[in-house]
mmCIF file of all heavy atoms in Angstrom:
data_model
loop_
_atom_site.group_PDB
_atom_site.id
_atom_site.type_symbol
_atom_site.label_atom_id
_atom_site.label_comp_id
_atom_site.label_asym_id
_atom_site.label_seq_id
_atom_site.Cartn_x
_atom_site.Cartn_y
_atom_site.Cartn_z
ATOM 1 N N ALA A 35 13.257 9.278 -23.138
ATOM 2 C CA ALA A 35 12.673 10.240 -22.200
ATOM 3 C C ALA A 35 11.427 9.669 -21.535
ATOM 4 O O ALA A 35 11.258 9.747 -20.308
ATOM 5 C CB ALA A 35 12.350 11.541 -22.925
ATOM 6 N N LEU A 36 10.540 9.079 -22.327
ATOM 7 C CA LEU A 36 9.324 8.497 -21.752
ATOM 8 C C LEU A 36 9.655 7.301 -20.856
ATOM 9 O O LEU A 36 8.953 7.053 -19.871
ATOM 10 C CB LEU A 36 8.373 8.072 -22.871
ATOM 11 C CG LEU A 36 7.718 9.214 -23.659
ATOM 12 C CD1 LEU A 36 6.813 8.665 -24.756
ATOM 13 C CD2 LEU A 36 6.918 10.130 -22.736
ATOM 14 N N THR A 37 10.732 6.573 -21.187
ATOM 15 C CA THR A 37 11.148 5.468 -20.317
ATOM 16 C C THR A 37 11.544 5.983 -18.939
ATOM 17 O O THR A 37 11.249 5.356 -17.916
ATOM 18 C CB THR A 37 12.325 4.715 -20.958
ATOM 19 O OG1 THR A 37 11.958 4.296 -22.275
ATOM 20 C CG2 THR A 37 12.695 3.486 -20.142
ATOM 21 N N LEU A 38 12.179 7.152 -18.894
ATOM 22 C CA LEU A 38 12.544 7.747 -17.605
ATOM 23 C C LEU A 38 11.301 8.136 -16.807
ATOM 24 O O LEU A 38 11.246 7.930 -15.583
ATOM 25 C CB LEU A 38 13.426 8.972 -17.828
ATOM 26 C CG LEU A 38 14.862 8.706 -18.282
ATOM 27 C CD1 LEU A 38 15.606 10.014 -18.514
ATOM 28 C CD2 LEU A 38 15.600 7.871 -17.262
ATOM 29 N N PHE A 39 10.299 8.683 -17.474
ATOM 30 C CA PHE A 39 9.061 9.043 -16.773
ATOM 31 C C PHE A 39 8.368 7.786 -16.230
ATOM 32 O O PHE A 39 7.816 7.799 -15.126
ATOM 33 C CB PHE A 39 8.127 9.819 -17.706
ATOM 34 C CG PHE A 39 8.581 11.221 -17.989
ATOM 35 C CD1 PHE A 39 8.958 11.607 -19.261
ATOM 36 C CD2 PHE A 39 8.635 12.166 -16.974
ATOM 37 C CE1 PHE A 39 9.382 12.900 -19.526
ATOM 38 C CE2 PHE A 39 9.057 13.463 -17.226
ATOM 39 C CZ PHE A 39 9.433 13.830 -18.505
ATOM 40 N N ALA A 40 8.395 6.700 -17.021
ATOM 41 C CA ALA A 40 7.794 5.455 -16.544
ATOM 42 C C ALA A 40 8.556 4.913 -15.335
ATOM 43 O O ALA A 40 7.948 4.412 -14.372
ATOM 44 C CB ALA A 40 7.781 4.422 -17.671
ATOM 45 N N ALA A 41 9.887 5.009 -15.352
ATOM 46 C CA ALA A 41 10.684 4.549 -14.210
ATOM 47 C C ALA A 41 10.376 5.371 -12.969
ATOM 48 O O ALA A 41 10.335 4.843 -11.846
ATOM 49 C CB ALA A 41 12.169 4.628 -14.551
ATOM 50 N N LEU A 42 10.157 6.664 -13.139
ATOM 51 C CA LEU A 42 9.771 7.505 -12.010
ATOM 52 C C LEU A 42 8.457 7.024 -11.399
ATOM 53 O O LEU A 42 8.332 6.892 -10.168
ATOM 54 C CB LEU A 42 9.632 8.960 -12.470
ATOM 55 C CG LEU A 42 9.050 9.935 -11.453
ATOM 56 C CD1 LEU A 42 10.011 10.139 -10.292
ATOM 57 C CD2 LEU A 42 8.711 11.273 -12.117
ATOM 58 N N GLY A 43 7.460 6.741 -12.249
ATOM 59 C CA GLY A 43 6.185 6.242 -11.752
ATOM 60 C C GLY A 43 6.324 4.910 -11.050
ATOM 61 O O GLY A 43 5.702 4.677 -9.997
ATOM 62 N N LEU A 44 7.161 4.027 -11.589
ATOM 63 C CA LEU A 44 7.370 2.730 -10.946
ATOM 64 C C LEU A 44 7.994 2.910 -9.562
ATOM 65 O O LEU A 44 7.631 2.215 -8.608
ATOM 66 C CB LEU A 44 8.265 1.854 -11.824
ATOM 67 C CG LEU A 44 8.557 0.446 -11.296
ATOM 68 C CD1 LEU A 44 7.266 -0.350 -11.129
ATOM 69 C CD2 LEU A 44 9.516 -0.284 -12.235
ATOM 70 N N GLY A 45 8.904 3.869 -9.447
ATOM 71 C CA GLY A 45 9.510 4.132 -8.149
ATOM 72 C C GLY A 45 8.501 4.632 -7.134
ATOM 73 O O GLY A 45 8.532 4.239 -5.960
ATOM 74 N N ILE A 46 7.578 5.500 -7.559
ATOM 75 C CA ILE A 46 6.546 6.005 -6.650
ATOM 76 C C ILE A 46 5.657 4.853 -6.162
ATOM 77 O O ILE A 46 5.280 4.787 -4.987
ATOM 78 C CB ILE A 46 5.701 7.084 -7.354
ATOM 79 C CG1 ILE A 46 6.568 8.309 -7.691
ATOM 80 C CG2 ILE A 46 4.519 7.504 -6.488
ATOM 81 C CD1 ILE A 46 5.854 9.345 -8.528
ATOM 82 N N ALA A 47 5.321 3.940 -7.069
ATOM 83 C CA ALA A 47 4.397 2.857 -6.729
ATOM 84 C C ALA A 47 5.072 1.672 -6.061
ATOM 85 O O ALA A 47 4.383 0.778 -5.558
ATOM 86 C CB ALA A 47 3.679 2.387 -8.002
ATOM 87 N N LEU A 48 6.409 1.647 -6.034
ATOM 88 C CA LEU A 48 7.128 0.454 -5.599
ATOM 89 C C LEU A 48 6.761 -0.016 -4.181
ATOM 90 O O LEU A 48 6.573 -1.223 -3.967
ATOM 91 C CB LEU A 48 8.631 0.698 -5.708
ATOM 92 C CG LEU A 48 9.523 -0.549 -5.831
ATOM 93 C CD1 LEU A 48 9.069 -1.417 -6.994
ATOM 94 C CD2 LEU A 48 10.976 -0.128 -6.013
ATOM 95 N N PRO A 49 6.631 0.869 -3.169
ATOM 96 C CA PRO A 49 6.280 0.371 -1.828
ATOM 97 C C PRO A 49 4.933 -0.355 -1.806
ATOM 98 O O PRO A 49 4.800 -1.424 -1.198
ATOM 99 C CB PRO A 49 6.255 1.645 -0.975
ATOM 100 C CG PRO A 49 7.121 2.609 -1.699
ATOM 101 C CD PRO A 49 6.918 2.322 -3.140
ATOM 102 N N PHE A 50 3.940 0.215 -2.459
ATOM 103 C CA PHE A 50 2.625 -0.399 -2.478
ATOM 104 C C PHE A 50 2.662 -1.717 -3.238
ATOM 105 O O PHE A 50 2.018 -2.705 -2.862
ATOM 106 C CB PHE A 50 1.630 0.575 -3.101
ATOM 107 C CG PHE A 50 0.200 0.144 -2.955
ATOM 108 C CD1 PHE A 50 -0.342 -0.166 -1.715
ATOM 109 C CD2 PHE A 50 -0.629 0.054 -4.061
ATOM 110 C CE1 PHE A 50 -1.660 -0.553 -1.585
ATOM 111 C CE2 PHE A 50 -1.947 -0.331 -3.936
ATOM 112 C CZ PHE A 50 -2.467 -0.640 -2.693
ATOM 113 N N LEU A 51 3.451 -1.750 -4.330
ATOM 114 C CA LEU A 51 3.586 -2.974 -5.113
ATOM 115 C C LEU A 51 4.275 -4.062 -4.288
ATOM 116 O O LEU A 51 3.904 -5.245 -4.359
ATOM 117 C CB LEU A 51 4.383 -2.679 -6.384
ATOM 118 C CG LEU A 51 4.322 -3.712 -7.512
ATOM 119 C CD1 LEU A 51 2.902 -3.865 -8.027
ATOM 120 C CD2 LEU A 51 5.252 -3.303 -8.648
ATOM 121 N N ALA A 52 5.270 -3.665 -3.477
ATOM 122 C CA ALA A 52 5.964 -4.643 -2.636
ATOM 123 C C ALA A 52 5.023 -5.240 -1.596
ATOM 124 O O ALA A 52 5.029 -6.454 -1.348
ATOM 125 C CB ALA A 52 7.165 -3.980 -1.963
ATOM 126 N N ILE A 53 4.191 -4.404 -0.972
ATOM 127 C CA ILE A 53 3.231 -4.903 0.019
ATOM 128 C C ILE A 53 2.244 -5.871 -0.632
ATOM 129 O O ILE A 53 1.844 -6.878 -0.042
ATOM 130 C CB ILE A 53 2.502 -3.730 0.693
ATOM 131 C CG1 ILE A 53 3.483 -2.959 1.574
ATOM 132 C CG2 ILE A 53 1.319 -4.212 1.524
ATOM 133 C CD1 ILE A 53 2.899 -1.707 2.173
ATOM 134 N N ALA A 54 1.869 -5.571 -1.881
ATOM 135 C CA ALA A 54 0.892 -6.415 -2.566
ATOM 136 C C ALA A 54 1.458 -7.795 -2.897
ATOM 137 O O ALA A 54 0.727 -8.789 -2.888
ATOM 138 C CB ALA A 54 0.406 -5.728 -3.835
ATOM 139 N N PHE A 55 2.771 -7.889 -3.170
ATOM 140 C CA PHE A 55 3.332 -9.144 -3.663
ATOM 141 C C PHE A 55 4.255 -9.847 -2.670
ATOM 142 O O PHE A 55 4.685 -10.961 -2.949
ATOM 143 C CB PHE A 55 4.086 -8.885 -4.976
ATOM 144 C CG PHE A 55 3.185 -8.817 -6.179
ATOM 145 C CD1 PHE A 55 2.556 -7.628 -6.522
ATOM 146 C CD2 PHE A 55 2.947 -9.943 -6.946
ATOM 147 C CE1 PHE A 55 1.719 -7.561 -7.620
ATOM 148 C CE2 PHE A 55 2.111 -9.889 -8.040
ATOM 149 C CZ PHE A 55 1.484 -8.693 -8.379
ATOM 150 N N VAL A 56 4.584 -9.225 -1.566
ATOM 151 C CA VAL A 56 5.454 -9.866 -0.565
ATOM 152 C C VAL A 56 4.593 -10.232 0.642
ATOM 153 O O VAL A 56 4.192 -9.347 1.411
ATOM 154 C CB VAL A 56 6.616 -8.938 -0.160
ATOM 155 C CG1 VAL A 56 7.487 -9.625 0.897
ATOM 156 C CG2 VAL A 56 7.449 -8.567 -1.380
ATOM 157 N N PRO A 57 4.272 -11.525 0.841
ATOM 158 C CA PRO A 57 3.383 -11.919 1.941
ATOM 159 C C PRO A 57 3.886 -11.477 3.312
ATOM 160 O O PRO A 57 3.096 -11.107 4.181
ATOM 161 C CB PRO A 57 3.338 -13.448 1.824
ATOM 162 C CG PRO A 57 3.675 -13.732 0.390
ATOM 163 C CD PRO A 57 4.639 -12.673 -0.011
ATOM 164 N N ALA A 58 5.214 -11.515 3.530
ATOM 165 C CA ALA A 58 5.745 -11.129 4.838
ATOM 166 C C ALA A 58 5.404 -9.681 5.165
ATOM 167 O O ALA A 58 5.088 -9.345 6.317
ATOM 168 C CB ALA A 58 7.258 -11.344 4.861
ATOM 169 N N LEU A 59 5.462 -8.803 4.164
ATOM 170 C CA LEU A 59 5.099 -7.405 4.400
ATOM 171 C C LEU A 59 3.595 -7.268 4.625
ATOM 172 O O LEU A 59 3.146 -6.485 5.461
ATOM 173 C CB LEU A 59 5.540 -6.541 3.208
ATOM 174 C CG LEU A 59 7.047 -6.388 2.994
ATOM 175 C CD1 LEU A 59 7.323 -5.592 1.721
ATOM 176 C CD2 LEU A 59 7.683 -5.694 4.198
ATOM 177 N N ARG A 60 2.820 -8.034 3.851
ATOM 178 C CA ARG A 60 1.368 -7.921 3.961
ATOM 179 C C ARG A 60 0.879 -8.421 5.319
ATOM 180 O O ARG A 60 -0.094 -7.910 5.868
ATOM 181 C CB ARG A 60 0.711 -8.692 2.818
ATOM 182 C CG ARG A 60 -0.746 -8.310 2.601
ATOM 183 C CD ARG A 60 -1.259 -8.788 1.263
ATOM 184 N NE ARG A 60 -1.096 -10.215 1.075
ATOM 185 C CZ ARG A 60 -0.224 -10.771 0.238
ATOM 186 N NH1 ARG A 60 0.586 -10.001 -0.468
ATOM 187 N NH2 ARG A 60 -0.136 -12.082 0.112
ATOM 188 N N ARG A 61 1.579 -9.435 5.883
ATOM 189 C CA ARG A 61 1.147 -9.948 7.189
ATOM 190 C C ARG A 61 1.340 -8.927 8.304
ATOM 191 O O ARG A 61 0.706 -9.026 9.353
ATOM 192 C CB ARG A 61 1.927 -11.228 7.507
ATOM 193 C CG ARG A 61 1.413 -12.462 6.762
ATOM 194 C CD ARG A 61 1.955 -13.734 7.357
ATOM 195 N NE ARG A 61 3.410 -13.831 7.220
ATOM 196 C CZ ARG A 61 4.004 -14.426 6.172
ATOM 197 N NH1 ARG A 61 3.283 -14.956 5.193
ATOM 198 N NH2 ARG A 61 5.319 -14.487 6.114
ATOM 199 N N ARG A 62 2.221 -7.955 8.069
ATOM 200 C CA ARG A 62 2.435 -6.916 9.080
ATOM 201 C C ARG A 62 1.335 -5.859 9.061
ATOM 202 O O ARG A 62 1.257 -5.035 9.976
ATOM 203 C CB ARG A 62 3.783 -6.240 8.846
ATOM 204 C CG ARG A 62 4.971 -7.156 9.110
ATOM 205 C CD ARG A 62 6.275 -6.441 8.837
ATOM 206 N NE ARG A 62 7.423 -7.290 9.145
ATOM 207 C CZ ARG A 62 8.006 -7.342 10.335
ATOM 208 N NH1 ARG A 62 7.535 -6.612 11.330
ATOM 209 N NH2 ARG A 62 9.042 -8.143 10.543
ATOM 210 N N MET A 63 0.516 -5.862 8.000
ATOM 211 C CA MET A 63 -0.578 -4.892 7.916
ATOM 212 C C MET A 63 -1.698 -5.316 8.857
ATOM 213 O O MET A 63 -1.973 -6.515 9.023
ATOM 214 C CB MET A 63 -1.117 -4.811 6.481
ATOM 215 C CG MET A 63 -0.086 -4.344 5.451
ATOM 216 S SD MET A 63 0.525 -2.691 5.793
ATOM 217 C CE MET A 63 -0.998 -1.762 5.630
ATOM 218 N N PRO A 64 -2.397 -4.379 9.506
ATOM 219 C CA PRO A 64 -3.526 -4.730 10.381
ATOM 220 C C PRO A 64 -4.636 -5.424 9.599
ATOM 221 O O PRO A 64 -4.861 -5.130 8.419
ATOM 222 C CB PRO A 64 -4.000 -3.382 10.927
ATOM 223 C CG PRO A 64 -3.070 -2.352 10.429
ATOM 224 C CD PRO A 64 -2.167 -2.939 9.425
ATOM 225 N N ARG A 65 -5.320 -6.339 10.235
ATOM 226 C CA ARG A 65 -6.418 -7.034 9.588
ATOM 227 C C ARG A 65 -7.589 -6.081 9.387
ATOM 228 O O ARG A 65 -7.865 -5.220 10.236
ATOM 229 C CB ARG A 65 -6.883 -8.215 10.446
ATOM 230 C CG ARG A 65 -5.784 -9.219 10.768
ATOM 231 C CD ARG A 65 -5.204 -9.827 9.510
ATOM 232 N NE ARG A 65 -6.193 -10.548 8.730
ATOM 233 C CZ ARG A 65 -5.973 -11.052 7.516
ATOM 234 N NH1 ARG A 65 -4.780 -10.891 6.941
ATOM 235 N NH2 ARG A 65 -6.925 -11.716 6.887
ATOM 236 N N PRO A 66 -8.299 -6.207 8.269
ATOM 237 C CA PRO A 66 -9.466 -5.350 8.053
ATOM 238 C C PRO A 66 -10.509 -5.573 9.140
ATOM 239 O O PRO A 66 -10.649 -6.664 9.687
ATOM 240 C CB PRO A 66 -9.990 -5.797 6.679
ATOM 241 C CG PRO A 66 -8.829 -6.483 6.031
ATOM 242 C CD PRO A 66 -8.035 -7.105 7.134
ATOM 243 N N GLY A 67 -11.234 -4.493 9.432
ATOM 244 C CA GLY A 67 -12.269 -4.576 10.455
ATOM 245 C C GLY A 67 -13.002 -3.259 10.578
ATOM 246 O O GLY A 67 -12.859 -2.343 9.744
ATOM 247 N N ALA A 68 -13.761 -3.130 11.655
ATOM 248 C CA ALA A 68 -14.553 -1.919 11.865
ATOM 249 C C ALA A 68 -13.671 -0.698 12.071
ATOM 250 O O ALA A 68 -14.105 0.444 11.833
ATOM 251 C CB ALA A 68 -15.476 -2.121 13.067
ATOM 252 N N TRP A 69 -12.412 -0.926 12.516
ATOM 253 C CA TRP A 69 -11.522 0.208 12.751
ATOM 254 C C TRP A 69 -11.280 1.028 11.478
ATOM 255 O O TRP A 69 -10.941 2.209 11.542
ATOM 256 C CB TRP A 69 -10.171 -0.293 13.293
ATOM 257 C CG TRP A 69 -9.400 -1.134 12.307
ATOM 258 C CD1 TRP A 69 -9.466 -2.466 12.138
ATOM 259 C CD2 TRP A 69 -8.460 -0.649 11.344
ATOM 260 N NE1 TRP A 69 -8.621 -2.885 11.138
ATOM 261 C CE2 TRP A 69 -7.980 -1.776 10.633
ATOM 262 C CE3 TRP A 69 -7.970 0.606 11.012
ATOM 263 C CZ2 TRP A 69 -7.052 -1.679 9.610
ATOM 264 C CZ3 TRP A 69 -7.029 0.715 9.994
ATOM 265 C CH2 TRP A 69 -6.584 -0.426 9.300
ATOM 266 N N MET A 70 -11.487 0.374 10.299
ATOM 267 C CA MET A 70 -11.218 1.091 9.054
ATOM 268 C C MET A 70 -12.165 2.256 8.835
ATOM 269 O O MET A 70 -11.790 3.259 8.226
ATOM 270 C CB MET A 70 -11.281 0.122 7.868
ATOM 271 C CG MET A 70 -10.146 -0.901 7.859
ATOM 272 S SD MET A 70 -10.181 -1.973 6.405
ATOM 273 C CE MET A 70 -9.970 -0.802 5.095
ATOM 274 N N ASN A 71 -13.408 2.148 9.326
ATOM 275 C CA ASN A 71 -14.340 3.269 9.182
ATOM 276 C C ASN A 71 -13.861 4.477 9.986
ATOM 277 O O ASN A 71 -13.906 5.623 9.516
ATOM 278 C CB ASN A 71 -15.742 2.851 9.630
ATOM 279 C CG ASN A 71 -16.367 1.847 8.682
ATOM 280 O OD1 ASN A 71 -16.124 1.900 7.472
ATOM 281 N ND2 ASN A 71 -17.153 0.910 9.215
ATOM 282 N N THR A 72 -13.403 4.213 11.227
ATOM 283 C CA THR A 72 -12.868 5.309 12.032
ATOM 284 C C THR A 72 -11.606 5.883 11.390
ATOM 285 O O THR A 72 -11.410 7.105 11.332
ATOM 286 C CB THR A 72 -12.550 4.806 13.454
ATOM 287 O OG1 THR A 72 -13.727 4.242 14.019
ATOM 288 C CG2 THR A 72 -12.044 5.940 14.325
ATOM 289 N N PHE A 73 -10.752 4.974 10.908
ATOM 290 C CA PHE A 73 -9.516 5.410 10.250
ATOM 291 C C PHE A 73 -9.825 6.284 9.037
ATOM 292 O O PHE A 73 -9.166 7.307 8.807
ATOM 293 C CB PHE A 73 -8.726 4.171 9.831
ATOM 294 C CG PHE A 73 -7.422 4.481 9.152
ATOM 295 C CD1 PHE A 73 -6.352 4.978 9.880
ATOM 296 C CD2 PHE A 73 -7.266 4.264 7.790
ATOM 297 C CE1 PHE A 73 -5.147 5.259 9.249
ATOM 298 C CE2 PHE A 73 -6.071 4.544 7.165
ATOM 299 C CZ PHE A 73 -5.001 5.040 7.896
ATOM 300 N N ARG A 74 -10.859 5.917 8.301
ATOM 301 C CA ARG A 74 -11.248 6.697 7.127
ATOM 302 C C ARG A 74 -11.664 8.102 7.520
ATOM 303 O O ARG A 74 -11.293 9.070 6.854
ATOM 304 C CB ARG A 74 -12.391 5.979 6.406
ATOM 305 C CG ARG A 74 -13.043 6.800 5.311
ATOM 306 C CD ARG A 74 -14.149 6.023 4.636
ATOM 307 N NE ARG A 74 -14.986 6.887 3.820
ATOM 308 C CZ ARG A 74 -15.956 6.468 3.044
ATOM 309 N NH1 ARG A 74 -16.220 5.167 2.967
ATOM 310 N NH2 ARG A 74 -16.672 7.313 2.339
ATOM 311 N N ARG A 75 -12.422 8.244 8.620
ATOM 312 C CA ARG A 75 -12.840 9.580 9.061
ATOM 313 C C ARG A 75 -11.623 10.433 9.422
ATOM 314 O O ARG A 75 -11.547 11.607 9.080
ATOM 315 C CB ARG A 75 -13.768 9.475 10.270
ATOM 316 C CG ARG A 75 -15.037 8.675 10.037
ATOM 317 C CD ARG A 75 -15.999 9.381 9.067
ATOM 318 N NE ARG A 75 -17.300 8.738 9.034
ATOM 319 C CZ ARG A 75 -17.626 7.746 8.215
ATOM 320 N NH1 ARG A 75 -16.720 7.262 7.367
ATOM 321 N NH2 ARG A 75 -18.838 7.226 8.222
ATOM 322 N N TRP A 76 -10.656 9.814 10.132
ATOM 323 C CA TRP A 76 -9.476 10.575 10.520
ATOM 324 C C TRP A 76 -8.654 10.997 9.303
ATOM 325 O O TRP A 76 -8.019 12.059 9.323
ATOM 326 C CB TRP A 76 -8.602 9.745 11.460
ATOM 327 C CG TRP A 76 -9.085 9.771 12.876
ATOM 328 C CD1 TRP A 76 -9.727 8.794 13.558
ATOM 329 C CD2 TRP A 76 -8.957 10.877 13.792
ATOM 330 N NE1 TRP A 76 -10.034 9.192 14.832
ATOM 331 C CE2 TRP A 76 -9.556 10.481 15.009
ATOM 332 C CE3 TRP A 76 -8.404 12.157 13.711
ATOM 333 C CZ2 TRP A 76 -9.618 11.310 16.127
ATOM 334 C CZ3 TRP A 76 -8.448 12.987 14.817
ATOM 335 C CH2 TRP A 76 -9.053 12.564 16.007
#
């Protein structure tokens, strides 16, 4: 039962984990900059 709950959590985190470990996906992310402050307000 707990293994199923852990698998559920892994599924929720999977997109973020893929961006962190797949360089091709990470290169598609905008470069950090001053725009992040405005983005944070929005």
Side-chain angles (χ1 to χ4, degrees):
L36 290 179
T37 305
L38 287 178
F39 287 115
L42 172 68
L44 181 60
I46 295 173
L48 203 54
F50 190 54
L51 196 62
I53 291 174
F55 279 85
V56 179
L59 293 176
R60 197 164 56 251
R61 282 195 296 268
R62 292 179 177 270
M63 298 299 297
R65 303 300 299 173
W69 65 271
M70 292 183 62
N71 291 326
T72 304
F73 181 72
R74 170 179 166 175
R75 301 292 190 271
W76 279 105

